[in-house]
Amino acid sequence: KEMLKADICLVSDTTMISEKVPSINCGMRGLSYLEVKVTGPNKDLHSGHYGGAVANPITVLCEMIASLHDADQKIAIPGFYDDVVELSAEDRAMLARAPFDIDEYKEFLDIDEVRGEKGYTTLERTGIRPCLDVCGIWGGYTGEGAKTVLPSKAYAKVSTRLVPHQQHEKISQLFADYMQSIAPACVKVKVTPMHGGEGYVCPITWGAYKAAEAGFAQAFGKLTQAASLTACKQHRNDFFRGHIQSTSCCKWIVPHYWNAAAPFECGSNIFVIIILPDIRRNSKGQFAL
């Protein structure tokens, strides 16, 4: 344990704004990942014999999933946004200064339009707002050819991305309670939390961040994007409370302020803890290259 002790966690599963715009991600959105199981009849049935008389779990599950967002693409689960701090107009204007081309974004993804929570930009939706997505859905017969099955069960995998102050255990419970509340009597619903993690924000006035910033400046010959977006507002103490200390003056990294992966997330993402021998504390306890 003594050999593995470190002052810094370096996560390699993040991005830069572009190859020409050096940037450091100083936060990550959290995660609550769940599986939903909807059960109808006690076995698969023949649709010719039972179709139209017995609830189809796949249909019911789709209806339930469709109710998770309202017409403005806001998550409809009661209490979901209770712990979300709204950013000021000044903060949002600062975030909008990041280099971002919506047309290039759509072309890269081969989509005609973006879609998300009304009243927020694409950068805000992916960086400073929570979200809910269905990661997978299945049930019944999915093989080649035709099989007239009215399935007994249907399943979905759901992820919610969280911002600081949102606790994944609380969100998981809110999700489970909501799914139970909207389930019709013709089916049984089971929600199983898979894993989760809290959102995190690092103050970029911190010495370790400054050391990384200096390294970027040396490598790229210019300051990082975060260094050019400075904000000094006392209210950020409320925003960061419980996650970081002494944030009356902080800078923001964009566009993915809380980026895609949650700390300690399992699966295809990578979380790396690295002991950095070239970053040391000086006699004042500060980090330095």
Side-chain angles (χ1 to χ4, degrees):
K1 289 183 178 180
E2 187 65 28
M3 291 181 63
L4 292 175
K5 287 177 63 176
D7 293 301
I8 304 163
C9 289
L10 176 64
V11 182
S12 61
D13 183 33
T14 54
T15 61
M16 291 202 308
I17 294 174
S18 77
E19 293 181 357
K20 298 180 180 179
V21 183
S23 49
I24 303 172
N25 288 31
C26 59
M28 288 184 170
R29 289 192 289 185
L31 174 71
S32 170
Y33 197 94
L34 311 108
E35 180 177 286
V36 181
K37 175 183 176 182
V38 176
T39 303
N42 59 3
K43 56 181 174 293
D44 289 348
L45 304 176
H46 192 292
S47 65
H49 292 163
Y50 294 94
V54 177
N56 187 315
I58 297 178
T59 303
V60 173
L61 178 58
C62 290
E63 292 169 349
M64 295 172 68
I65 288 173
S67 75
L68 291 171
H69 294 85
D70 64 17
D72 293 330
Q73 292 303 298
K74 193 176 183 71
I75 297 167
I77 298 172
F80 186 89
Y81 292 97
D82 284 356
D83 299 320
V84 176
V85 178
E86 294 287 343
L87 268 67
S88 69
E90 181 183 353
D91 292 332
R92 296 175 68 180
M94 181 172 55
L95 183 64
R97 288 163 53 190
F100 178 73
D101 189 313
I102 189 63
D103 292 327
E104 289 184 3
Y105 185 83
K106 291 188 290 187
E107 181 181 0
F108 175 73
L109 298 175
D110 194 20
I111 58 175
D112 294 327
E113 290 295 339
V114 294
R115 190 183 191 198
E117 187 180 0
K118 185 177 180 180
Y120 296 91
T121 67
T122 297
L123 293 186
E124 291 170 339
R125 291 166 182 168
T126 58
I128 61 172
R129 298 295 293 171
C131 65
L132 184 152
D133 287 285
V134 179
C135 301
I137 183 169
W138 71 97
Y141 181 69
T142 59
E144 293 185 11
K147 188 176 182 181
T148 54
V149 170
L150 193 163
S152 170
K153 298 175 177 62
Y155 302 83
K157 303 277 191 181
V158 178
S159 74
T160 61
R161 290 295 180 177
L162 313 176
V163 297
H165 294 309
Q166 286 186 297
Q167 298 178 341
H168 70 91
E169 296 96 341
K170 177 181 177 180
I171 295 299
S172 295
Q173 189 61 55
L174 290 174
F175 177 88
D177 292 345
Y178 180 71
M179 294 299 279
Q180 293 290 348
S181 72
I182 64 174
C186 53
V187 298
K188 301 178 183 68
V189 175
K190 180 180 179 182
V191 177
T192 304
M194 305 293 286
H195 62 100
E198 309 302 308
Y200 177 77
V201 175
C202 167
I204 64 177
T205 53
W206 186 38
Y209 178 90
K210 289 295 186 181
E213 184 179 60
F216 267 65
Q218 181 178 345
F220 284 86
K222 54 185 174 181
L223 292 177
T224 65
Q225 179 69 13
S228 67
L229 298 177
T230 304
C232 299
K233 295 201 69 175
Q234 191 67 34
H235 79 264
R236 284 197 186 82
N237 283 329
D238 295 329
F239 187 75
F240 292 118
R241 187 179 295 123
H243 297 278
I244 58 176
Q245 309 247 335
S246 183
T247 58
S248 59
C249 179
C250 61
K251 304 172 190 173
W252 291 46
I253 180 62
V254 289
H256 300 297
Y257 181 53
W258 296 306
N259 205 8
F264 308 109
E265 180 181 350
C266 300
S268 59
N269 293 310
I270 301 171
F271 183 86
V272 180
I273 299 178
I274 298 178
I275 300 173
L276 301 174
D278 294 326
I279 297 182
R280 304 291 188 184
R281 291 181 186 269
N282 60 24
S283 60
K284 297 181 180 180
Q286 299 171 329
F287 288 99
L289 287 172

